[in-house]
Amino acid sequence: MKRNLLLTPGPTQIPPEICAALGRPIIHHRTPQFQENLKEAVEGLKHVFQTKNDIYLLTSSGTGAMEAAVCNLLSPGDKAITVEGGKFGERWSELCRSYGVEPDVIKVTWGKAVDPARIKKILDTHKDIKAVFITQSETSTGVTTDVEAVARVVRDTNAVLVVDAVSGLGVIDLQMDNWGVDVVVSASHKGFMLPPGLAFISVSAKAFKLVETSKSPRYYFDLRKSKEAMADVDTPFTPAIGIVIALNESLRRIKQEGLQNLFACYARLASGTREAAKALGLSIFPDESCLSNVLTAVKLPAEVDGNKVVKIMRDTYGISVAGGQDTLKGKIIRIAHMGCVDEYDILTGIACLEKVLLKLGHKFTPGVGIAAAQKVFIT
Ligand code: PMP
């Protein structure tokens, strides 16, 4: 039987104890039993978000939490900054436009990170900007934004800083309170090692003032309802009960491991993956200065079709990596090292990549990629 190894940037692999938790019989949500679970989940999430702010659980994928951020913070005609350095940065702009906000878009070349000075320059001259939307880990390019540096330029202005941490939370550091980030959104199916269906949004007191005054239409994602319900350890609508229960398994695992240890472990996996790619004669897509430990975007030689690499790895060998999006279609592959992935998963993925690249005509000595990764993992 073929394996099903997911080295994709979400959904990620689900460890056995979380699978077992997902298989438990359903309980009703308006009960003290579920309240216990909800309370524990929110406390555990605060640890991962590194915040004392409120966190609300939404029954949606990550984009639902992004939409909740936009419609709760802004009113039609408001001013906002978005940073577009990839597909998910573009999503912030699209969401803003859907709610009648024409954003001031900072375009960043794909593969590079935003220079916080560009954000500062706009904020200095447009004091009426209400929100700045950025992406912590731009999953389409493998770029990491320096959230701390961006927070430094937004912190003392009227604007709130909103961070899409859908793929990065629990994988790379994000100190919501220490850095002064106002809103962080994330989701269940990446660093949290759960199925998709649950999203999270944490909101500071400064940002909640905007939630209370926004004139945008909202119902399901109205965070005023979430706040009111949370005061009674409840949710306004039927939550994804099973995923919330399994989330507690995930949070226990994360706590036991320790956030810093987890970040170090993902950094090691990323380093091994990058060294393997280089040994195979491939280059890394993002700039050296903003490499992601969440996923590695690898540039392929012109003669190798990335779509074929992805298809053969998945359909012939049962190993999933992601292809490129938009203009990067066929040109890069993205290997994720987030969630429940270890060194041997990465080595397996590299071994398979070597075989497929050789098959597609790329020349190198078989085994050099694995040796390079192994060298990182052994030291
Ligand atoms: N932002 C980022 C950085 C992501 O990686 C993703 C998912 N790939 C999303 C937003 C959107 O999340 P979803 O597909 O869960 O709606």
Side-chain angles (χ1 to χ4, degrees):
M1 206 155 63
K2 223 185 304 174
R3 75 179 69 240
N4 177 27
L5 174 60
L6 290 184
L7 298 175
T8 42
T12 59
Q13 306 203 100
I14 305 179
E17 71 271 21
I18 297 183
C19 281
L22 287 163
R24 282 186 209 145
I26 192 85
I27 60 169
H28 196 272
H29 55 293
R30 310 284 184 215
T31 57
Q33 288 78 9
F34 183 72
Q35 277 184 315
E36 286 273 302
N37 276 282
L38 185 58
K39 215 165 137 189
E40 186 181 341
V42 171
E43 281 315 305
L45 285 169
K46 285 185 179 178
H47 173 69
V48 182
F49 278 67
Q50 302 186 61
T51 190
K52 291 196 170 61
N53 291 326
D54 287 342
I55 299 183
Y56 306 112
L57 280 66
L58 305 170
T59 303
S60 73
S61 75
T63 307
M66 293 174 74
E67 177 149 359
V70 172
C71 70
N72 280 282
L73 297 170
L74 301 177
S75 303
D78 273 354
K79 296 213 169 108
I81 295 173
T82 57
V83 174
E84 288 186 5
K87 288 297 287 177
F88 297 103
E90 288 172 6
R91 189 159 300 177
W92 280 131
S93 306
E94 289 160 12
L95 279 163
C96 283
R97 290 189 192 106
S98 302
Y99 284 91
V101 173
E102 189 50 48
D104 204 327
V105 179
I106 299 181
K107 293 247 183 217
V108 180
T109 310
W110 285 33
K112 293 187 189 300
V114 67
D115 176 356
R118 292 181 70 189
I119 297 174
K120 182 173 180 343
K121 199 168 163 208
I122 303 178
L123 287 173
D124 282 348
T125 47
H126 296 85
K127 305 279 184 207
D128 51 351
I129 300 262
K130 282 208 173 145
V132 178
F133 295 92
I134 62 168
T135 315
Q136 179 201 22
S137 161
E138 181 43 85
T139 316
S140 60
T141 61
V143 162
T144 299
T145 304
D146 186 346
V147 175
E148 186 178 10
V150 175
R152 232 176 276 131
V153 306
V154 181
R155 210 164 37 202
D156 299 320
T157 68
N158 295 328
V160 293
L161 176 61
V162 185
V163 179
D164 165 0
V166 171
S167 67
L169 202 73
V171 183
I172 51 176
D173 203 12
L174 202 173
Q175 300 178 23
M176 185 172 183
D177 289 358
N178 281 346
W179 297 350
V181 178
D182 297 288
V183 177
V184 174
V185 300
S186 195
S188 53
H189 55 298
K190 315 256 180 181
F192 290 98
M193 306 163 279
L194 292 160
L198 197 59
F200 317 116
I201 181 164
S202 181
V203 186
S204 71
K206 177 180 171 187
F208 212 86
K209 288 204 180 107
L210 293 178
V211 176
E212 276 157 353
T213 53
S214 159
K215 293 186 182 63
S216 289
R218 52 204 151 132
Y219 188 86
Y220 191 65
F221 289 136
D222 188 339
L223 294 180
R224 292 169 301 186
K225 288 194 184 95
S226 301
K227 189 181 172 80
E228 209 182 307
M230 199 52 95
D232 296 326
V233 198
D234 202 354
T235 55
F237 311 104
T238 309
I241 299 167
I243 311 181
V244 176
I245 290 169
L247 170 64
N248 284 325
E249 278 308 323
S250 159
L251 292 167
R252 271 194 282 276
R253 192 183 155 109
I254 292 173
K255 194 146 195 198
Q256 200 172 9
E257 195 75 36
L259 275 183
Q260 294 308 323
N261 291 337
L262 269 179
F263 300 152
C265 165
Y266 293 126
R268 214 172 140 77
L269 295 179
S271 170
T273 309
R274 290 196 282 262
E275 290 311 312
K278 287 186 221 160
L280 294 173
L282 308 173
S283 53
I284 308 301
F285 178 72
D287 261 16
E288 196 64 42
S289 58
C290 53
L291 291 175
S292 169
N293 289 337
V294 179
L295 73 151
T296 297
V298 179
K299 260 197 268 183
L300 295 169
E303 67 278 12
V304 174
D305 177 355
N307 295 321
K308 277 195 190 150
V309 175
V310 173
K311 188 172 170 9
I312 300 172
M313 284 182 75
R314 183 191 59 226
D315 296 345
T316 308
Y317 303 111
I319 297 175
S320 293
V321 296
Q325 295 168 289
D326 268 6
T327 54
L328 295 177
K329 229 182 176 103
K331 295 184 181 147
I332 63 164
I333 57 163
R334 294 173 296 146
I335 305 168
H337 17 74
M338 62 207 281
C340 178
V341 173
D342 68 11
E343 294 171 3
Y344 297 99
D345 294 324
I346 296 293
L347 288 169
T348 304
I350 306 282
C352 180
L353 176 64
E354 286 197 2
K355 186 158 176 164
V356 174
L357 286 174
L358 285 168
K359 191 176 165 142
L360 294 176
H362 182 54
K363 302 263 185 297
F364 58 90
T365 309
V368 286
I370 302 169
Q374 188 69 291
K375 213 167 164 182
V376 173
F377 298 156
I378 277 171
T379 50

